[in-house]
Amino acid sequence: KKVIDIVSQPYPLEGSRCVIGVSVGIAIAPYDGVTSEELVRGADLALYAAKGGGRGQFRFYSTDLHNEAERRRRIEEDLRDALGREQISLAYQPLVSTVDNSVVALEAVMRWDHPELGSISPALFIPVAEESNLIGQLGEWALRRACEDAAQWPGNVKVSVNVSPAQFANENLPTVVTQALAHSGLAPELLELELTESIFLT
């Protein structure tokens, strides 16, 4: 904590005030490893956990971090094949008007039915997809499938599709949306793109 406090002090730089953020991962020999490779790997996992906890944090290595890293690695590897194996599907949650209790839209939510791990929550696999650059492929598939499904619904119920920060930053997003609408025949006014607050934070 003392190291973090010292390094995080503001620095004068060409008349401006510069602040450097610090995160620290800690591994201790011989408990967390004996070789330099083991210790660096442990410290790196602890650093990853520290960064995940917010600015100016430190974390010690633990076997839980190793187990979590292995689980994330497996999820990333299996997620690469999940679309092709038709393990990913969309479920729809109704958005209801409080004025007259009518369903005004259905929000598309991704579901992953893993053959061995069972149902995996989007809260778990979406962050992995974002970090491994798989979110573009997943997001484009979800948009196309949601438009195809909504085009078959009776009435004028809208479909709402989440857009990740990575998708939103991609200059091809308008083309992807246009193609999904054209392919499905869905009226454009029946598609809503839902932007997460993280887009505006970054």
Side-chain angles (χ1 to χ4, degrees):
K1 190 175 185 311
K2 193 172 183 180
V3 170
I4 292 172
D5 290 341
I6 291 171
V7 179
S8 298
Q9 294 297 315
Y11 297 90
L13 185 63
E14 297 181 357
S16 297
R17 191 166 172 264
C18 180
V19 178
I20 298 174
V22 184
S23 299
V24 179
I26 305 165
I28 301 174
Y31 312 104
D32 303 328
V34 178
T35 67
S36 58
E37 288 81 7
E38 290 173 332
L39 289 168
V40 169
R41 192 182 311 119
D44 197 42
L45 287 172
L47 177 61
Y48 185 84
K51 288 179 177 178
R55 294 173 62 90
Q57 302 284 320
F58 66 91
R59 292 288 185 275
F60 286 90
Y61 172 80
S62 70
T63 53
D64 288 345
L65 293 179
H66 175 76
N67 295 338
E68 176 66 18
E70 284 298 306
R71 186 172 67 138
R72 288 179 70 91
R73 182 188 60 78
R74 181 178 181 189
I75 286 175
E76 180 181 336
E77 288 178 357
D78 291 353
L79 189 56
R80 293 184 184 279
D81 301 321
L83 264 183
R85 293 176 179 171
E86 298 184 349
Q87 296 170 4
I88 305 286
S89 62
L90 288 183
Y92 294 95
Q93 296 180 160
L95 303 176
V96 181
S97 167
T98 56
V99 177
D100 57 7
N101 290 328
S102 63
V103 174
V104 293
L106 293 173
E107 180 182 1
V109 182
M110 266 190 266
R111 294 284 183 254
W112 182 12
D113 187 21
H114 193 284
E116 295 172 24
L117 302 177
S119 180
I120 301 179
S121 167
L124 184 59
F125 73 81
I126 292 296
V128 173
E130 289 175 336
E131 291 170 16
S132 56
N133 293 323
L134 291 170
I135 194 65
Q137 181 185 358
L138 275 176
E140 185 172 339
W141 172 85
L143 183 62
R144 287 179 179 275
R145 176 57 59 86
C147 287
E148 289 169 5
D149 289 349
Q152 309 302 316
W153 297 342
N156 291 318
V157 177
K158 294 181 179 179
V159 63
S160 174
V161 182
N162 288 309
V163 175
S164 73
Q167 285 176 276
F168 187 69
N170 190 325
E171 61 184 19
N172 291 328
L173 179 62
T175 303
V176 170
V177 172
T178 303
Q179 289 176 348
L181 288 169
H183 178 74
S184 64
L186 182 70
E189 62 269 18
L190 296 182
L191 173 64
E192 286 187 354
L193 300 181
E194 185 165 328
L195 310 179
T196 62
E197 62 277 7
S198 58
I199 289 174
F200 302 103
L201 293 174
T202 56

